[in-house]
Amino acid sequence: MLRSTLVGTALWLGCNFDEALGAALHGQRLQQLQLQRLQTSGSSSSSSSSSSNSSSNSSSSSSSSSNSSIFAGGNRLQQTEVPAQALAHSLNRSLPAFAAASRAKGPVRVARGAESSVGGGKRFGIDSEAGEETGKVVSECFLTAKVHSGSNKEKVCPQECPFYVQDRQDWDFCTFACVPETHCSQYNPETPIADKDIGFCRSCTVAACEECDNSVNFDQCSKCSPGYYLKDGECWFKYGGDWVWVTAGILAGVVLLVAVWLIEWGFRPTTNQAGLDHALLQRERCKLKMKKEGTGERKEFPLTTNLLKEQVAGPGMTLHFNFQVFLMIWAVFVAIVWVCFAAFIDEDLWRLGTRKFGTPRENCILVMWGYERQQDLMWTKVAFLWIVYIGSFSMCMAYGIYQLRCFQGVDHQNKTMKDFVAMVTGLPAIPGFKDVEGELKKCLENTTGQSLVGVSVAWDWQEHQEAVETALEEDLNERVFLGGPSGVEDNDGQEMGFMRSTFYKMERGLLGLGEEGGSVRQDDGFGQGALAATGGSDELPIEQMLQELHTSPRAFAVFETQEAKERAVAAVADLSGFEFEGASGIALEELEAEPDTVQWIYYGHSTRSQKIVRLVAGFGCIILACLFWAVVFYAPYAYYVMTFNYENGREPGFIVGFAFSMIVVVGNAIMYEVCARISDKVGFQFKDDKEACYMILYTIACLFNVALDFVTTYYTAEKVMEGLGFVSYFGTPLADIHHFTTKFETYGMQRSLAENTYSYAFPSTYLIPFLIEPAPTILAPLLLGRLIVRTHPEVQGKEAEEWMAMADMEMGRYADLLLNVILGILIFYFPGGYTWMLFLAMAVSHLWIYAFDHYRVLRSVPACTFAAYDIEWWCQAMLAPIMGIIASCLAFKGNCEPGMYCLTGFPLIATCSFAWLMHTIFHTACLIYLVPMCGKRLPDEDPAAHETFTSLSQRVPCNWFTANPIWCLRSKFKFKHAPACSFYQLGKERYMKYSPKTGCFFDEQDASPIVSNMDVKFKN
């Protein structure tokens, strides 16, 4: 046995090397060498291994992955199939002449066969097909020929035997013969059906069929997939029936009812023009505006505003648009590198991995051609990855430095509210009946020697949120007489037809129209009007509630100049803190935040341990949401594609692909909503921290979706390849390959996964969601709000404003773009024909995203501020593991290259994981230590030294006092300021009262036309 194994191994090596050399010299000579070698090996084998021959003859009806038979002149030599794939893989890469010869003529193995009578014809074991080079029709029937990488895919069989059949009686793989219709099952019992459309003998194509009935020559199933039952040779869904039609009818009826409802609603006459005009005006006032001009008017930013330079919503917004441009540049860079390789090195790089599957014969040619070309051009893929890896890392570092210097440049050139404030930390819980603000101000002035504008204390008021919000609304009502036109009658369906009246009442009931909770004046027993929420009787009078509140550990000390703040911070630091109300070690720290980014309600209820507990609970919610999506939306799709009959190259149609795109969109939308709610509930005290948390959570959640998608994609591709009868380049059927890495590296799987990755990324993820996004985020809310307010006179004031309000701007776009980058990088694991197309598609899609976000920021979101660098830094930190995927791919593609390691199985996976981890650590360390070293220095002279807190507050309505809801209420009810500090509400700036004693210095001239009685009341 050992001898026969050694002889077989030497014969295999000698045959293939000699064959390659002969092919390199002359194609015709190659066939002669093959036949001569077969005869020689057969005769020598018969004289030296007779016992082995007899043993082989007794088992000629079967074959395995470890043994094969060589037929020559009726004699067979039992041989251990050489050697393992890893050895052949290494030989193919390490012998350039060997690979070159393979490209010159065909496969690097000899097709071994013997003459035998099959259906009246002869079967010859030869390596190429008759007429292969000329592309003519095959001249002989029943001639079994083995295809190779250079075979002509377009060749057809002659009319007398017009059907190709894969010869399963021959031990070798990728051997085909031309036969008449009656001989299909004789060569391959599993393909008894002669298909005239494709000119091939095939198996049945019954949907949901697991096993075909091969005793007949027409489409008939013998065993159905789980969940289906067999009836008359076809498979029917087991759980179908009348309920399916009833459900479909109900859904159709609901859709029809909604359509009729919306059409009728759209044609109703306008009955609330005043309320609509007021709501539209408020919507316009909430948009981002430029600073006041000399006339006192604040105009909108023009659409031509350069958001890469112009500060419209804080430096964080500028950094965000810079990030979008950076990704477009990076995508174009990757595409250009691959285009240069394809244009100047080998044109097969354009199409490697993109050639379509077809008949089994075409698939064999594709696998052989693709594997040979992929291995021969692997050096180009490795070189490409080195260029992209080094270039991407360098671009990330350059981008990080640019963003930091950009942020610092804006910060150095401009004064904002954060430049005049320092945060007091470590305060004890002080009750509200004390003058905390005044006493803390005096303490700080005495401790630091600096004059303060005032102190804005953060209070613990979460348990009284409803009462506080009601009191603030009532305060605004008193200042502006906010409400609808007087004398409006409630049209409860009178003077309407039956259908319109019914719809009208349904709208009021479903949407709760006209039921907006308000606030009422109540007598507190002391002769003063106190406010209480109408929602319940348990609320305390507002004055009593304010007295019973306690301070949180934090407050904001506001200084007139930045220099005074810096000196105060340094003074407290030198003293290692100060004492107040019996507490010592109270610190004064600089703050990188703006007042409109403070979430005042979370002070006092958001310790670090509480945030951690909420985050852990949030991850649990994410897992539940993912499971819900997977079970309700993804499982039906996965079940369908898993049970689909992929025989003969059948694949699901367009509807299934479109459904998959919508499932991806729905999954991302679910994660968007869940992550937004979690980041809100964690209790971050600054919006920038909340947005950073949201970005990270959303990215992780979407990665879970992507992982699930790719697991399903892998197993789907596996079933497709097995259904198509794919084998590895070395002849092993995919179904017989049990190691993940070995199966993953087969060209059939590589090509299928490349196509699936491309389809998943573009347009399903890159473009479709963002083309759809304007509809649900801008158009639908606007049109629905207009319909509601225009046709319902009971909707007035604040309720009308809320129906017409715009969605807040959030930084979830970072996560969307990072997900796109991940999908782009995953294509590097596969043949590169899709690389340039995918990255150009990414650049074009991101251009659309940039244009949409540009318009959205300037015209369709309420005014906002993103002042901190935190979101941008975390985005760059997320790029570290993402770019690490390129390092992992480089380790994978460099495997078994000349001079490199050659691994398979778990060691290869571990090596790729180690490369990813090392890059992530190094990249993150560079962000922490290297990038800050390249930042800007402070200028010798402050270009905005003339700016003070007072001068800035005269132009900017939101400061550290007007943004604090409890201070505004204490100003009115405790300190009895006249006028009291006006609470800042977006779009209501014109109603703010100038009150320097309370920290309110803003007084905007209302340049808007009078459109409703609320404006008349204010102006009069």
Side-chain angles (χ1 to χ4, degrees), residues 437-448:
E437 293 85 356
E439 293 176 2
L440 183 55
K441 175 184 176 183
K442 292 178 182 179
C443 179
L444 282 170
E445 289 178 336
N446 294 333
T447 302
T448 64

Side-chain angles (χ1 to χ4, degrees), residues 286-288 806-809 856-864:
C286 288
K287 295 179 181 179
L288 285 165
M806 299 172 286
D808 291 333
M809 181 65 185
R856 185 165 65 116
V857 167
L858 297 179
R859 291 293 182 270
S860 295
V861 296
C864 54

Side-chain angles (χ1 to χ4, degrees), residues 624-697:
L624 290 177
C626 289
L627 290 176
F628 170 79
W629 170 75
V631 172
V632 176
F633 295 97
Y634 199 83
Y637 165 80
Y639 179 78
Y640 178 82
V641 298
M642 288 295 186
T643 58
F644 188 81
N645 184 0
Y646 294 97
E647 295 287 341
N648 312 301
R650 295 178 68 243
E651 294 186 26
F654 168 79
I655 295 179
V656 177
F658 180 77
F660 176 72
S661 298
M662 293 299 102
I663 290 171
V664 173
V665 172
V666 170
N668 291 343
I670 292 175
M671 293 302 104
Y672 170 92
E673 184 63 26
V674 171
C675 293
R677 291 183 179 273
I678 292 172
S679 58
D680 283 336
K681 298 299 183 181
V682 168
F684 291 105
Q685 294 160 347
F686 298 97
K687 291 181 182 178
D688 289 321
D689 295 335
K690 183 195 77 171
E691 292 295 337
C693 174
Y694 167 68
M695 178 192 69
I696 296 172
L697 289 178

